[in-house]
Amino acid sequence: MTDERNMMITERVHAIWCRELGRDDIAFDDDFFALGGQSVIMARIQRSLIVELGVEVPVDQLFRNPTVSSISAYITSSETMTG
């Protein structure tokens, strides 16, 4: 997995979070729940990750990785393990 690919995933995840949370000021280390995130928004993010990135992230992983950086790292490590 290249650094360029990792950054692309992080940027796509960031764009999804900004859109679904209705904010453009989200930092990569901001906590989803501190930003006002809730289960309905999390479900929309989960769906967007499937549609836009082709990755299925279990809900428990979204809870365990509540930042753009941490969920992006989970996605890239999952791709490394499965790809």
Side-chain angles (χ1 to χ4, degrees), residues 18-33:
C18 288
R19 182 182 67 233
E20 298 302 339
L21 286 162
R23 302 176 65 142
D24 60 2
D25 62 342
I26 298 173
F28 289 173
D29 61 348
D30 283 344
D31 184 275
F32 173 78
F33 301 102

Side-chain angles (χ1 to χ4, degrees), residues 12-21 45 48-49 52-53:
R12 297 281 302 276
V13 170
H14 182 255
I16 290 167
W17 278 41
C18 288
R19 182 182 67 233
E20 298 302 339
L21 286 162
I45 288 172
S48 293
L49 292 171
E52 296 176 36
L53 292 176

Side-chain angles (χ1 to χ4, degrees), residues 11-81:
E11 289 172 356
R12 297 281 302 276
V13 170
H14 182 255
I16 290 167
W17 278 41
C18 288
R19 182 182 67 233
E20 298 302 339
L21 286 162
R23 302 176 65 142
D24 60 2
D25 62 342
I26 298 173
F28 289 173
D29 61 348
D30 283 344
D31 184 275
F32 173 78
F33 301 102
L35 294 166
Q38 52 167 290
S39 60
V40 172
I41 297 170
M42 186 176 281
R44 290 196 318 243
I45 288 172
Q46 184 183 34
R47 177 74 179 142
S48 293
L49 292 171
I50 293 168
V51 170
E52 296 176 36
L53 292 176
V55 295
E56 190 167 341
V57 179
V59 172
D60 68 317
Q61 289 301 321
L62 291 169
F63 276 99
R64 291 180 189 160
N65 297 287
T67 68
V68 169
S69 293
S70 64
I71 201 63
S72 298
Y74 171 81
I75 291 168
T76 57
S77 71
S78 294
E79 286 183 346
T80 301
M81 289 187 297

